[in-house]
Amino acid sequence: MDNNADHRQEDEAPAAGDDEDTGALVAPIVRLEEVAVSTGEEDEEPLLNLKAKLYRFDKNGSQWKERGAGTVKFLKHNVTGKVRLLVRQSKTLKICANHRVGPGMSVQEHAGSEKSCVWHATDFADGELKDELFCIRFLSIENCRKFMEKFEEIAESQNNEENQGNGNKQINGDNQNNKENQNNGNKQINGGNQNNEGNKKNGENQDACGAAGLLEKLSVEEHATVRLINI
């Protein structure tokens, strides 16, 4: 009996070295390399970043439909200075709204909710331009006011930049017209000078012809005088 018990203990005992770390390095079958992921926001400066839930108005069903919950940003391009509104869904980072905040745009508080506001925009979130009516709801009244103030501030600044650009175009146009008028005046003056020079040359030619005629006449008279003397 004791021998059988000893044999069972030996069979159940783990083999020596099964749990020991051999220290061997196993190379991975597939090597994964880091890939740079572009978000399209690299050349833009964030002006505002808040958490919110976005809705769009469904005209067919005449009701609000949830577009996504995530972050809303105002992004200003470092080169052009244009500002766009971007809403990405949390975790998936799917774009829920993507449109420019341009001159003439406005935002209003949603009726019956101080945490929500609405605005119209031509949106490009689905890869094509669509006229949308958006509603966004924030976690607090303070965040909603921050969003509305920044929205109106950006729209006003874009309007001023556009007016300034139109003013510069008008000034450049006026300067160009002045240059053209000045060039036309210079051409007219040059034309008058050329006419005067032409008239002067014609007068000189006439004087030269007259002088040549007198010389020829004098020459004839001299010959006649010499002939008379010889006679």
Side-chain angles (χ1 to χ4, degrees):
M1 293 292 293
D2 294 339
N3 292 334
N4 292 333
D6 292 339
H7 285 301
R8 283 198 301 271
Q9 290 178 357
E10 290 178 358
D11 293 338
E12 293 175 359
D18 286 350
D19 295 336
E20 294 181 0
D21 186 5
T22 61
L25 297 177
V26 180
I29 299 175
V30 179
R31 177 176 293 179
L32 300 178
E33 297 181 356
E34 293 184 1
V35 178
V37 179
S38 175
T39 62
E41 305 173 21
E42 289 77 12
D43 296 330
E44 295 171 306
E45 175 189 358
L47 304 179
L48 188 70
N49 189 343
L50 297 171
K51 291 184 178 181
K53 183 178 289 187
L54 183 69
Y55 300 85
R56 60 174 293 272
F57 188 75
D58 183 13
K59 298 178 182 178
N60 296 328
S62 297
Q63 60 180 342
W64 290 102
K65 289 188 176 181
E66 183 176 337
R67 184 73 171 168
T71 57
V72 56
K73 299 179 183 178
F74 288 115
L75 301 172
K76 183 177 181 179
H77 198 276
N78 296 329
V79 178
T80 63
K82 295 181 179 180
V83 181
R84 64 170 174 150
L85 181 148
L86 180 68
V87 179
R88 287 186 183 272
Q89 194 169 5
S90 298
K91 297 181 181 180
T92 63
L93 300 181
K94 178 184 177 182
I95 295 177
C96 304
N98 181 24
H99 63 80
R100 181 191 170 194
V101 181
M105 294 183 65
S106 61
V107 61
Q108 298 177 352
E109 182 179 306
H110 190 273
S113 176
E114 295 182 354
K115 296 181 181 180
S116 305
C117 55
V118 296
W119 73 96
H120 285 275
T122 303
D123 191 67
F124 195 71
D126 295 330
E128 59 180 349
L129 293 174
K130 292 181 180 179
D131 291 331
E132 298 281 8
L133 175 60
F134 287 117
C135 175
I136 194 167
R137 181 177 177 83
F138 295 91
L139 299 176
S140 65
I141 298 175
E142 182 182 0
N143 285 349
C144 184
R145 289 177 179 173
K146 285 182 180 179
F147 175 84
M148 294 180 64
E149 290 174 359
K150 182 59 69 174
F151 194 112
E152 293 175 351
E153 176 186 336
I154 293 171
E156 182 66 22
S157 65
Q158 296 292 303
N159 187 35
N160 293 336
E161 289 181 6
E162 185 171 292
N163 292 335
Q164 184 177 1
N166 293 333
N168 291 334
K169 288 180 181 179
Q170 184 175 0
I171 292 173
N172 292 333
D174 293 340
N175 291 335
Q176 187 173 0
N177 291 333
N178 292 334
K179 287 182 179 179
E180 290 179 356
N181 293 333
Q182 185 177 1
N183 291 333
N184 292 333
N186 292 335
K187 289 180 181 179
Q188 186 174 1
I189 293 172
N190 292 333
N193 292 335
Q194 289 178 356
N195 291 332
N196 293 334
E197 290 180 359
N199 294 332
K200 184 177 180 181
K201 288 181 179 179
N202 291 333
E204 291 177 353
N205 292 333
Q206 290 178 358
D207 293 341
C209 292
L214 291 175
L215 290 174
E216 184 177 359
K217 184 177 180 181
L218 290 173
S219 176
V220 172
E221 290 178 352
E222 287 179 356
H223 285 297
T225 304
V226 171
R227 183 177 299 175
L228 290 173
I229 294 172
N230 291 332
I231 293 172

